[in-house]
Amino acid sequence: MRAEISFGRSLIGILLVGLAAASCTTTSKPAATAAKTKQVQPAKVTFNYTAKDRDCLKRAMYFESQHSDEDGYLAVGTVVMNRLTSGAYPPSICGVVAQERQFAPGVMTREVKPQAETELATAADAILVKGARHPAVKDAMFFHTEGLKFPYDNMHYVTVAGGNAFYEKRDSNGTLETPPPLPSYEVAMNYVPGESMLPPQFEALIPSAVPVPLPAPDPLTTASSTASMQITAPVTAPVTSPETAIEPAPGMPIAIPIPRPAYDSVMLRGSIPVNGG
């Protein structure tokens, strides 16, 4: 009997120890995860570019990278885009590249060798269409030929590519001295075919560059009218006084000239109502 009681006490002790151990290692139930919030995509800043802008970008990459390779092209192209999106330079790619004393002399006029066109087109489309940037160039908007030395403390070098050393201008505290460029993921490049930004519905309002041919005058009519016309003194308009001015008869409609409307208020031909006949 004692043996059974002792065995029962031992069994109860083992069970209590097991429950105590289980209570120590049991982890609390994780709290319910917070509801996922919808991430708002930041609005991108859109820049327009034309085929001419694409050509300007290719020219800058070609003449400034010493005709090197795609890595050198992309580095120079990144500087052009950094300047474009910083707000401190002209608002177009051609304006940035053609800015006086900024890029290589003759960058807009010299000949680009045909054998470089394929790599240049690939690099330009990577920048404009895919938003590519040279990762090592960072926020640099300046570069010079590799190997040159200058005694300025604000030249913070970031990388070397295509025979050029790229640098940011920073003050003694490490702050950029120029407005920082936009990161590529905040920039959208919008291709505009052609160079005219005028909407197509206003084409009819633009004077034609080609003169409209007029019918030639009848030589017989011209000769007879010239022979009968004899001008002996300058022709002047008769001076009329208020007393001698001719007043319209009662009930006669008076034509009052209407000034030409402003360009932005011109009514389009398609919006004039047609009266039923």
Side-chain angles (χ1 to χ4, degrees):
M1 186 67 179
R2 291 181 179 178
E4 292 178 356
I5 295 174
S6 177
F7 176 74
R9 290 177 179 176
S10 299
L11 183 59
I12 292 173
I14 293 173
L15 291 175
L16 291 176
V17 172
L19 290 174
S23 64
C24 293
T25 57
T26 303
T27 57
S28 60
K29 186 177 181 180
T33 56
K36 293 183 178 179
T37 57
K38 185 178 181 181
Q39 294 182 351
V40 179
Q41 197 72 13
K44 293 188 176 184
V45 180
T46 302
F47 293 85
N48 291 332
Y49 74 97
T50 64
K52 180 65 176 176
D53 289 307
R54 181 175 179 269
D55 180 68
C56 290
L57 179 61
K58 288 164 56 180
R59 286 180 160 276
M61 294 189 296
Y62 180 72
F63 291 111
E64 288 290 8
S65 64
Q66 302 180 10
H67 321 167
S68 59
D69 52 18
E70 192 170 348
D71 186 66
Y73 295 156
L74 190 62
V76 174
T78 300
V79 168
V80 174
M81 299 305 294
N82 283 351
R83 291 192 174 198
L84 175 68
T85 62
S86 71
Y89 293 88
S92 69
I93 294 176
C94 282
V96 170
V97 176
Q99 193 173 13
E100 188 176 0
R101 285 194 274 182
Q102 295 296 314
F103 288 89
V107 66
M108 300 293 290
T109 56
R110 288 193 289 170
E111 178 187 3
V112 177
K113 298 300 181 183
Q115 54 267 30
E117 283 290 344
T118 301
E119 283 190 345
L120 283 173
T122 301
D125 291 340
I127 291 174
L128 297 174
V129 179
K130 301 178 182 179
R133 300 289 189 273
H134 196 293
V137 172
K138 300 179 181 179
D139 293 337
M141 299 184 207
F142 310 94
F143 60 89
H144 60 71
T145 304
E146 180 186 3
L148 298 180
K149 301 293 183 182
F150 297 91
Y152 304 113
D153 297 332
N154 64 342
M155 300 171 69
H156 179 73
Y157 290 94
V158 292
T159 190
V160 174
N164 292 312
F166 295 81
Y167 62 94
E168 303 165 344
K169 285 186 178 181
R170 295 183 178 272
D171 59 19
S172 57
N173 296 323
T175 305
L176 282 173
E177 295 180 355
T178 53
L182 295 175
S184 60
Y185 57 81
E186 292 185 8
V187 176
M189 299 303 296
N190 177 49
Y191 175 67
V192 180
E195 297 186 18
S196 175
M197 301 296 291
L198 195 65
Q201 61 264 31
F202 290 106
E203 290 180 356
L205 304 177
I206 305 174
S208 174
V210 180
V212 178
L214 298 176
D218 188 353
L220 297 178
T221 306
T222 305
S224 60
S225 61
T226 305
S228 61
M229 184 183 297
Q230 296 180 355
I231 301 175
T232 57
V235 179
T236 57
V239 179
T240 59
S241 61
E243 294 79 7
T244 60
I246 301 175
E247 296 184 359
M252 180 183 296
I254 302 175
I256 302 176
I258 302 175
R260 170 177 282 185
Y263 181 80
D264 56 357
S265 63
V266 174
M267 182 179 293
L268 300 180
R269 186 181 301 273
S271 61
I272 300 177
V274 179
N275 296 326

